[in-house]
Amino acid sequence: MNKPLIAIPIGDPAGVGPEIVAMALADSKVAEAARCIIVGDRKIMEQAVKITGAEVRVNVVKELEEGIYEPGVLNLIDLDNIDMDQFEFGKVSGMCGKAAYEYIAESIRLANEGKADAVATTPINKEALKAGDIHFIGHTEIFGALTGTEDPLTMFETNGMRVFFLTRHVSLRQMLDMITKERIKDYVKRCLEALEKLGVTGGTMAIAGLNPHCGEHGLFGDEEVREIMPAIEELQAEGYPVTGPIGADSVFHQAAQGRFNSVLSLYHDQGHIATKTLDFDRTIAITNGMPILRTSVDHGTAFDIAGTGKVSAISMIEAILLAAKYSPNFTRK
């Protein structure tokens, strides 16, 4: 009973979330590492178990203490919010979008109250959220609002390589305006604090370069000279363990080899390409800077194969294992 307790919302019921949850709960590595409480709909989860052939039985509970935390048991808090007469796989549905939000909200409540040690999330659909009159564009925004966190940090981890993102869902043109000394300094400090909360101490954070070969001292792009280097120099003078800029064509390789404890990617695709090329299925997102710990698969609802049992559960398994890895050292401050 000393294993971490991980809350897992099943995501959009019309997607592959329920299937990967059923398959992950049947995996022996998950049973060895964590106690899991699933938040979803009983009818959907029983259907997912049947579709996947996962060797688990659904055990509906109202309180976490009622759970049977042993291999082969899928403990479920049943919100009973899906009408199967209206349900259809692979379709955008307001009913499913609203249900997905309710699963997330309940999981966050369990973590906020200290009943769950972490939350490991499954895919949701932005269009379905909107159709369900849920005014959030994604998980990060929901977690930020329900934990009182103004600007959560996204970190990817795969095979021990950790990558933070200075900018995310903005255009490349907008991103260039956001590469400022002040923003870099703020993010580095917050990222290092986030690593400390996860129990990661020691090592150096590397800042990725923006331009080819970091601009070659301004020959083709001067962002490194104007903003990035001054930020790094001031951070170093203040005692922060940071180095760079290091060309984006080599910094991720060096981090994967263990030279750095993390990398600050300057824009969305820079870090996404690096991590997903290294190991697509095992690239796991961790939302940092919150009072609770959240990990997530980094793939979508896969509406095209939902309900077929063809989906891989590797990413879900890794998300649960990573939550179990970090939760014992995670500090709620």
Side-chain angles (χ1 to χ4, degrees):
M1 294 299 289
N2 292 326
K3 299 174 186 175
L5 195 150
I6 313 300
I8 306 171
I10 66 170
D12 190 309
V16 296
E19 293 168 64
I20 61 174
V21 168
M23 295 163 71
L25 266 289
D27 189 275
S28 61
K29 297 188 295 296
V30 168
E32 291 169 8
R35 294 173 292 147
C36 297
I37 187 74
I38 311 305
V39 182
D41 181 286
R42 177 187 56 79
K43 303 178 293 296
I44 292 292
M45 283 313 304
E46 288 179 345
Q47 181 184 61
V49 170
K50 184 177 180 180
I51 289 169
T52 60
E55 295 184 0
V56 293
R57 67 177 179 88
V58 176
N59 177 47
V60 175
V61 302
K62 291 186 177 180
E63 302 295 336
L64 302 187
E65 295 76 13
E66 300 172 9
I68 302 171
Y69 300 104
E70 60 185 37
V73 180
L74 188 155
N75 296 295
L76 172 73
I77 294 177
D78 178 20
L79 298 193
D80 191 21
N81 52 7
I82 294 296
D83 180 351
M84 296 304 286
D85 290 334
Q86 298 181 36
F87 175 77
E88 188 175 357
F89 281 116
K91 301 293 183 181
V92 172
S93 159
M95 175 182 69
C96 289
K98 184 174 183 292
Y101 171 78
E102 291 171 353
Y103 305 146
I104 297 166
E106 174 64 10
S107 299
I108 292 173
R109 182 189 70 80
L110 293 172
N112 275 337
E113 294 179 1
K115 295 178 180 179
D117 297 301
V119 179
T121 59
T122 53
I124 58 176
N125 183 278
K126 293 177 173 60
E127 291 182 63
L129 288 179
K130 184 176 180 180
D133 202 29
I134 302 300
H135 301 292
F136 295 101
I137 63 170
H139 274 116
T140 302
E141 292 75 18
I142 295 171
F143 272 81
L146 298 187
T147 63
T149 306
E150 184 174 343
D151 184 17
L153 295 168
T154 297
M155 184 185 90
F156 278 7
E157 179 165 335
T158 182
N159 294 282
M161 181 174 75
R162 305 179 188 93
V163 178
F164 289 95
F165 297 86
L166 184 70
T167 66
R168 297 191 297 273
H169 296 148
V170 298
S171 72
L172 286 175
R173 288 186 182 278
Q174 288 175 290
M175 174 273 292
L176 292 173
D177 292 333
M178 297 170 71
I179 305 297
T180 65
K181 182 181 75 171
E182 292 73 20
R183 186 179 182 87
I184 293 168
K185 289 185 64 177
D186 173 63
Y187 264 70
V188 166
K189 292 176 182 180
R190 293 172 59 209
C191 291
L192 291 173
E193 182 180 344
L195 288 175
E196 186 177 343
K197 286 184 68 174
L198 293 174
V200 178
T201 57
T204 301
M205 169 181 277
I207 311 299
L210 176 66
N211 294 297
H213 308 290
C214 296
E216 294 282 10
H217 304 288
L219 287 177
F220 31 87
D222 64 356
E223 286 83 1
E224 281 82 5
V225 175
R226 286 189 296 106
E227 305 290 346
I228 301 172
M229 272 303 305
I232 294 171
E233 289 169 356
E234 289 185 17
L235 286 163
Q236 290 173 337
E238 294 173 27
Y240 290 96
V242 59
T243 188
I246 299 173
D249 60 350
S250 62
V251 66
F252 298 103
H253 170 73
Q254 293 178 49
Q257 299 301 309
R259 184 169 179 180
F260 309 114
N261 68 12
S262 58
V263 178
L264 180 62
S265 168
L266 299 186
Y267 58 95
H268 182 280
D269 284 7
Q270 187 182 57
H272 276 245
I273 292 169
T275 53
K276 292 178 181 179
T277 299
L278 180 62
D279 194 330
F280 189 92
D281 289 331
R282 291 178 175 81
T283 293
I284 304 303
I286 301 177
T287 307
N288 289 290
M290 302 189 301
I292 66 174
L293 175 63
R294 176 240 174 175
T295 65
S296 179
V297 299
D298 194 52
H299 62 74
T301 50
F303 277 169
D304 58 324
I305 60 170
T308 67
K310 295 179 180 178
V311 67
S312 168
I314 291 175
S315 190
M316 185 76 254
I317 292 168
E318 291 296 316
I320 298 170
L321 295 180
L322 204 58
K325 168 187 170 182
Y326 282 128
S327 58
N329 294 319
F330 182 78
T331 54
R332 294 171 176 264
K333 64 179 181 178

